[in-house]
Amino acid sequence: MRVKIGVYFCNCGGNISGKVDSELVRRALETGCDWAYFKTCELMCSDDGKAYLRGEIAAEKPDRIVIAACSPREHENTFMRVLSGAGMNPYLMQMVNIREQVAWVTPDVRLASLKAAALIKGAVKRVAFHKPLEMKSIEMSPDVMVIGAGPAGLKAALTIAQTGRNVTLVEKRAVIGGQPVLYEEVFPNLQCAPCMLEPMLDEILHGDYAKNIEILTLSEVVELYGFYGNFIAKIRKTPRYADMNQCIGCGECIEVCPVDVKNEFNNGLDSRKAISLSFAGALPNVPFIDMAACLRARGEDCRLCDEACPLGGGIILYDDTEEIVERRMGAVIVAVGASLYDAGLISNLGLGRLPDVYTSFEFERLLSSTGPTSGQLLTRSGRTPRSIAIIHCVGSLDSKHKEYCSGICCQYAFKFNLMVGHKLPDTQIHHLHKELVYPGKEEYFLYKRAKENPNAVFIQYKDIDTLCVTEKENGIMIVNSSIKADMVVLCPAVVPSKDIGKLNETLGTTVDMFGFFEELHATLDPVMAKVRGIYIAGACQSPMSIQQAITQGMATAGYALSGIVGGKRLEIEPITASVDADRCSGCRVCALVCPYKAIGVGQETGKSSVNEVLCEGCGTCVAACPAGAINGNHFTNDAILAEIEGVLACLNQG
């Protein structure tokens, strides 16, 4: 049966007809091209042009359509909607770009016309193999899971909850707020970080939409399966050993605990009890028991914390156990933050070897009123430092360590300058830096204020290996043979959290060359992971400031809210891959090369299968399959070979 193919040539208001002769194109197509009719239109994307196409479909009743016009990026969806509205399957159309690929780049009219004819002939040959694909749809869960309760995750969770959606907020630590709640002040305006975050924390814990947010602290996602709109997560909850609903956070139980352990919230600079609040002002304001340190883990029946509770028994839960809970959601937002590069790997800087060499985070805690020295800036021996050396770019901009710039280190180093100046106005500050970075509206003014500090000196160095920190008498250190310092503060590169690799494997996402979660497109889609329905926000995607993290948290919330809506069905694009199970050998090559994690292998059958929700129809698996067992819908081998044959035949004729 002969397929009736209509070819529509758009003049594009002179953009195409000025360089391509439609009549010459028509004559070139007459040989060896099985088309039924050829018609021209002045501007097909206009309202009149679309009405003309609808009328043509009704009158001519073509089986297939080829539209020679502009880039499919601009108007392929436009014309597909016209076909659907006219009662014709939209996948029975092929669009040819003769504006950008021919008219705009080929000045000779005859050559341009022959080139356009070749492309159209290829499309005519190809479109005969098009099948009438149909969109599918499935139900979606409108709920969202947010992993990480730092600024980005909190903002995303609150934004989503404010629309009435349910959010499961998963945080591996005992507290929410992320790293900034441990900072006394944050750049660029030296705001109190806990004070700045408090309204958002209060909204999440006690506000009008708190009922929509389930907070799971001391928890981690151990398994995620399903797909966009219908994920199932398994979450491991470590016991807190205290009743979250009844405890009033008075701290009486902490005072009587006989066990001291290093306090990880102060980077081991002081100790805490086996039962502890993470730090003053920590939320939720409920202590937790580190059972690995507790005397009960050694077989002793210590009940001092329970006996000290003013509310009586039942608040301390010694028999609390780990559990695995399941939650269903339509989208997942990952906001697990980042870590600092291990500056101990740069041995000449003295970290871990000299007592008063600190990382920037340790220095943050020394400056904080909730830190190990209650905000007093003292050396390990208890002296007030008269000179502090701040070394920028520790591990950054360095081919031997991390080649990128973290972007925030200079800002917090300038902040340290001002904070030290306020606490110890006579202390000298030496900034040793490779480069200085201060982008944005307000960042330069922070640098300017630091530069104007009469006790501050800025010294540029070329390579971190040229710096050497050595200890002299009375705890005084010498930096680079000339700078005396009572304290040395290292500003390491921001690197992925140590848990990112494990979480990445659990989620089935990808990481970039630096180990951060990889975005779908660094410029256009920086908060979308390569797995549909999983979004990334904050420093787990790239080093960034609190403001940038908050912005990304809002962006991920926007994607989730617009994509999954209660009662709305998820439409699935039919241009996907499909596996011929009879030909599949189970070699798993397709699963390894799929950039969207859309291919699974059946445990019982050993055969590959494509998840149509996740598949983006890129064709990577089709090309990689050694058995030729995978077909690409709408991009079949027959269609592609026919298109190539048509183009070559027309070029040979010309």
Side-chain angles (χ1 to χ4, degrees):
M1 179 180 175
R2 185 172 182 269
V3 178
K4 184 178 181 180
I5 301 174
V7 178
Y8 291 91
F9 184 99
C10 178
N11 287 328
C12 196
N15 278 297
I16 294 176
S17 58
K19 287 291 183 181
V20 181
D21 186 337
S22 61
E23 182 58 27
L24 184 57
V25 171
R26 188 191 66 78
R27 290 200 301 269
L29 292 174
E30 288 179 344
T31 304
C33 190
D34 193 17
W35 48 276
Y37 60 89
F38 181 101
K39 297 186 179 183
T40 62
C41 177
E42 187 58 32
L43 194 62
M44 193 166 289
C45 65
S46 67
D47 289 342
D48 289 343
K50 289 182 284 188
Y52 166 76
L53 182 57
R54 282 192 294 268
E56 282 288 309
I57 294 171
E60 295 286 355
K61 295 182 172 54
D63 298 311
R64 305 286 191 276
I65 283 177
V66 172
I67 297 177
C70 59
S71 167
R73 277 181 175 271
E74 288 198 35
H75 286 299
E76 184 176 49
N77 288 333
T78 300
F79 298 133
M80 290 180 75
R81 286 192 292 268
V82 172
L83 265 66
S84 294
M88 186 174 180
N89 189 287
Y91 295 95
L92 299 179
M93 176 197 79
Q94 179 67 12
M95 194 171 174
V96 185
N97 181 2
I98 60 171
R99 185 179 72 180
E100 284 88 337
Q101 293 183 356
V102 180
W104 285 0
V105 295
T106 312
D108 184 273
V109 173
R110 179 179 176 278
L111 290 177
S113 301
L114 292 176
K115 183 179 177 182
L119 295 176
I120 295 170
K121 192 168 189 176
V124 170
K125 292 280 190 181
R126 172 202 171 94
V127 80
F129 289 91
H130 282 202
K131 300 293 178 62
L133 304 179
E134 298 292 341
M135 296 283 283
K136 299 178 182 179
S137 65
I138 58 173
E139 291 184 358
M140 295 188 295
S141 168
D143 299 336
V144 179
M145 177 174 68
V146 178
I147 307 174
L154 293 173
K155 192 65 174 180
L158 183 58
T159 302
I160 292 167
Q162 286 171 339
T163 68
R165 310 284 189 89
N166 293 322
V167 180
T168 300
L169 182 60
V170 181
E171 170 56 50
K172 69 177 181 179
R173 300 200 301 182
V175 297
I176 63 175
Q179 288 292 94
V181 294
L182 297 169
Y183 301 163
E184 190 82 339
E185 297 175 1
V186 292
F187 64 81
N189 297 317
L190 302 190
Q191 292 175 271
C192 167
C195 304
M196 179 180 68
L197 292 173
E198 194 278 332
M200 183 163 61
L201 294 171
D202 183 63
E203 278 289 310
I204 283 177
L205 291 168
H206 311 296
D208 294 338
Y209 304 100
K211 63 182 182 296
N212 296 332
I213 304 175
E214 179 188 25
I215 301 174
L216 301 179
T217 53
L218 295 169
S219 302
E220 62 178 330
V221 178
V222 294
E223 188 175 349
L224 182 75
Y225 55 94
F227 45 82
Y228 178 50
N230 289 277
F231 288 111
I232 300 290
K234 289 186 177 180
I235 304 164
R236 180 189 293 121
K237 292 179 60 182
T238 301
R240 182 179 283 265
Y241 301 104
D243 191 318
M244 292 278 288
N245 297 315
Q246 297 188 63
C247 177
I248 60 174
C250 66
E252 293 292 326
C253 55
I254 299 173
E255 297 299 323
V256 298
C257 179
V259 178
D260 290 307
V261 295
K262 283 190 174 182
N263 186 356
E264 67 275 18
F265 293 96
N266 285 331
N267 251 46
L269 296 176
D270 64 352
S271 62
R272 61 169 174 81
K273 298 295 185 178
I275 184 171
S276 174
L277 286 165
S278 304
F279 50 89
L283 296 173
N285 185 32
V286 178
F288 67 95
I289 295 180
D290 180 354
M291 194 53 73
C294 181
L295 294 178
R296 298 182 66 83
R298 307 174 198 172
E300 299 184 32
D301 188 25
C302 177
R303 307 184 65 87
L304 291 176
C305 53
D306 181 51
E307 293 167 356
C309 179
L311 298 182
I315 307 301
I316 302 299
L317 307 173
Y318 295 128
D319 58 351
D320 205 358
T321 58
E322 177 181 289
E323 61 177 319
I324 301 292
V325 299
E326 286 193 2
R327 296 293 183 270
R328 178 173 178 258
M329 71 290 302
V332 178
I333 294 172
V334 185
V336 294
S339 301
L340 294 180
Y341 184 65
D342 182 3
L345 297 174
I346 309 174
S347 59
N348 49 296
L349 299 183
L351 184 66
R353 177 170 52 85
L354 303 179
D356 286 305
V357 177
Y358 301 93
T359 66
S360 54
F361 176 69
E362 291 171 337
F363 196 62
E364 290 275 9
R365 296 307 295 151
L366 289 176
L367 290 168
S368 175
S369 58
T370 64
T373 58
S374 301
Q376 294 185 70
L377 199 52
L378 301 171
T379 65
R380 301 264 188 178
S381 62
R383 293 183 297 108
T384 298
R386 299 176 60 186
S387 176
I388 297 175
I390 301 176
I391 303 178
H392 300 228
C393 309
V394 175
S396 299
L397 304 174
D398 193 325
S399 59
K400 297 187 292 294
H401 301 283
K402 300 297 177 182
E403 292 190 284
Y404 55 83
C405 173
S406 297
I408 63 170
C409 315
C410 285
Q411 297 304 305
Y412 67 64
F414 302 152
K415 177 192 75 173
F416 290 161
N417 183 310
L418 298 176
M419 293 178 72
V420 171
H422 293 155
K423 289 177 179 287
L424 304 172
D426 296 325
T427 296
Q428 287 190 316
I429 303 170
H430 302 269
H431 288 268
L432 292 89
H433 61 90
K434 280 187 178 179
E435 305 289 346
L436 290 177
V437 176
Y438 33 84
K441 293 187 298 182
E442 299 175 301
E443 281 72 5
Y444 171 74
F445 298 102
L446 183 61
Y447 161 70
K448 185 171 181 288
R449 290 173 63 190
K451 188 78 171 176
E452 290 171 350
N453 182 346
N455 293 321
V457 178
F458 286 75
I459 304 167
Q460 188 170 21
Y461 68 90
K462 290 186 177 181
D463 192 294
I464 198 74
D465 291 338
T466 64
L467 302 184
C468 186
V469 182
T470 55
E471 188 172 22
K472 296 298 181 182
E473 67 283 352
N474 300 322
I476 301 297
M477 292 172 288
I478 304 296
V479 182
N480 217 26
S481 74
S482 60
I483 300 170
K484 290 185 177 181
D486 298 303
M487 277 185 175
V488 174
V489 182
L490 308 180
C491 301
V494 177
V495 298
S497 166
K498 64 180 181 180
D499 297 326
I500 276 185
K502 180 181 176 183
L503 182 58
N504 174 61
E505 185 177 342
T506 299
L507 300 179
T509 48
T510 56
V511 294
D512 62 21
M513 62 185 292
F514 303 112
F516 293 98
F517 280 108
E518 187 175 23
E519 59 283 309
L520 183 61
H521 190 286
T523 303
L524 300 179
D525 290 306
V527 300
M528 295 180 68
K530 290 196 172 181
V531 175
R532 190 179 183 192
I534 298 182
Y535 308 100
I536 46 181
C540 65
Q541 184 258 336
S542 178
M544 64 183 64
S545 66
I546 297 173
Q547 181 190 48
Q548 292 168 320
I550 289 283
T551 301
Q552 284 205 337
M554 291 286 287
T556 58
Y559 272 111
L561 291 172
S562 63
I564 54 170
V565 180
K568 177 183 174 183
R569 296 181 67 84
L570 174 66
E571 289 191 339
I572 303 172
E573 172 65 53
I575 301 179
T576 58
S578 58
V579 179
D580 182 345
D582 292 336
R583 299 182 66 179
C584 176
S585 65
C587 69
R588 300 174 183 251
V589 169
C590 54
L592 293 173
V593 301
C594 177
Y596 301 102
K597 308 297 182 183
I599 299 179
V601 179
Q603 291 184 351
E604 295 183 1
T605 65
K607 306 287 187 178
S608 295
S609 61
V610 177
N611 185 322
E612 294 180 338
V613 178
L614 300 180
C615 180
E616 295 289 333
C618 68
T620 303
C621 59
V622 180
C625 179
I630 307 181
N631 294 312
N633 295 334
H634 206 61
F635 290 91
T636 63
N637 290 338
D638 290 340
I640 293 172
L641 290 172
E643 184 174 12
I644 295 171
E645 180 186 340
V647 171
L648 293 177
C650 195
L651 290 176
N652 290 334
Q653 176 189 341

